[in-house]
């Protein structure tokens, strides 16, 4: 169950709300390989562990878009809205891949609701997300996630 579940009628009051952090998950070579298969991005820095050992990162790394896509399962740990007919991933703003995620790394997400605005039939939230790598100061991803909730 998410850390915070609110009724739609309270949604417009949540700008500035810190949603906390998720549990850590480990990034595996199997995840990376499956993502490569799904997207056609089979660059050796992701899928060839032997060659990647001698590459610029010393190990295979997750695709930036794989790490970014984990916003969705992380999101489910942090927040939900009751009293809506539809929930839509609306987009992203200001996405940056600031540090590579090596295979075997553990990552988690911290999120804060930055803005809440009314839209026709519902509300849109902008959430400031930081995907952190355990034991590293520099995060893997910094992104603003946009979601819409329709009444």
């Amino acid at each position: 169950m998410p850390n915070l579940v609110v009724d739609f009628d309270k949604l417009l009051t949540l700008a500035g709300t810190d949603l906390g952090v998720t549990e850590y998950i480990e990034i595996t070579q199997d995840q990376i390989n499956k993502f490569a298969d799904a997207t056609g991005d089979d660059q050796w820095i992701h899928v060839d562990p032997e060659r990647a050992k001698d590459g610029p990162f010393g190990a295979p790394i997750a695709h930036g878009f794989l790490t970014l896509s984990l916003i969705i399962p992380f999101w489910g740990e942090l927040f939900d809205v009751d009293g809506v007919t539809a929930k839509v991933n609306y987009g992203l703003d200001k996405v940056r891949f600031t540090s590579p995620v090596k295979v075997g790394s553990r990552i988690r997400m911290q999120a804060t609701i930055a803005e809440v605005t009314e839209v026709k039939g519902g509300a849109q939230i902008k959430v400031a997300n930081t995907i952190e790598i355990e034991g590293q100061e520099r995060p893997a991803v910094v992104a603003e996630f946009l979601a819409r909730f329709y009444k």
Side-chain angles (χ1 to χ4, degrees), residues 5-14 79-84 116 118 121-123 149-151:
V5 179
V6 299
D7 188 72
F8 178 83
D9 295 330
K10 186 178 178 189
L11 192 57
L12 292 174
T13 68
L14 296 181
F79 185 72
D80 200 7
V81 179
D82 284 337
V84 297
V116 184
E118 289 186 64
F149 300 90
Y150 294 97
K151 198 145 168 108

Side-chain angles (χ1 to χ4, degrees), residues 2-4 19-22 74-80 109-111:
N3 289 348
L4 178 62
L19 298 176
V21 295
T22 65
F74 282 146
W75 178 247
E77 285 186 47
L78 297 178
F79 185 72
D80 200 7
M109 186 175 80
Q110 184 282 326

Side-chain angles (χ1 to χ4, degrees), residues 8 14-15 19 27 31 40 50 67 76-77 80-81 84 90 96-97 103 112 114 129-130 133 138 144 151:
F8 178 83
L14 296 181
L19 298 176
I27 299 300
Q31 283 175 301
E50 288 305 312
T67 307
E77 285 186 47
D80 200 7
V81 179
V84 297
Y90 190 68
R96 298 291 182 268
F97 303 112
V103 70
T112 300
N129 299 285
T130 302
I133 305 167
R138 193 170 175 89
E144 293 176 345
K151 198 145 168 108

Side-chain angles (χ1 to χ4, degrees), residues 26-99:
E26 182 177 341
I27 299 300
T28 67
Q29 188 64 54
D30 185 55
Q31 283 175 301
I32 293 169
N33 292 345
K34 286 177 180 173
F35 191 86
D37 289 344
T39 62
D41 182 355
D42 60 357
Q43 189 177 165
W44 63 269
I45 62 172
H46 306 301
V47 299
D48 187 341
E50 288 305 312
R51 186 173 175 194
K53 285 180 189 175
D54 296 323
F57 307 108
I61 60 169
H63 304 74
F65 284 105
L66 166 59
T67 307
L68 180 65
S69 73
L70 295 172
I71 284 176
I72 299 307
F74 282 146
W75 178 247
E77 285 186 47
L78 297 178
F79 185 72
D80 200 7
V81 179
D82 284 337
V84 297
T85 59
K87 303 169 188 177
V88 178
N89 301 326
Y90 190 68
L92 297 156
D93 285 342
K94 300 181 184 177
V95 176
R96 298 291 182 268
F97 303 112
T98 55
S99 189

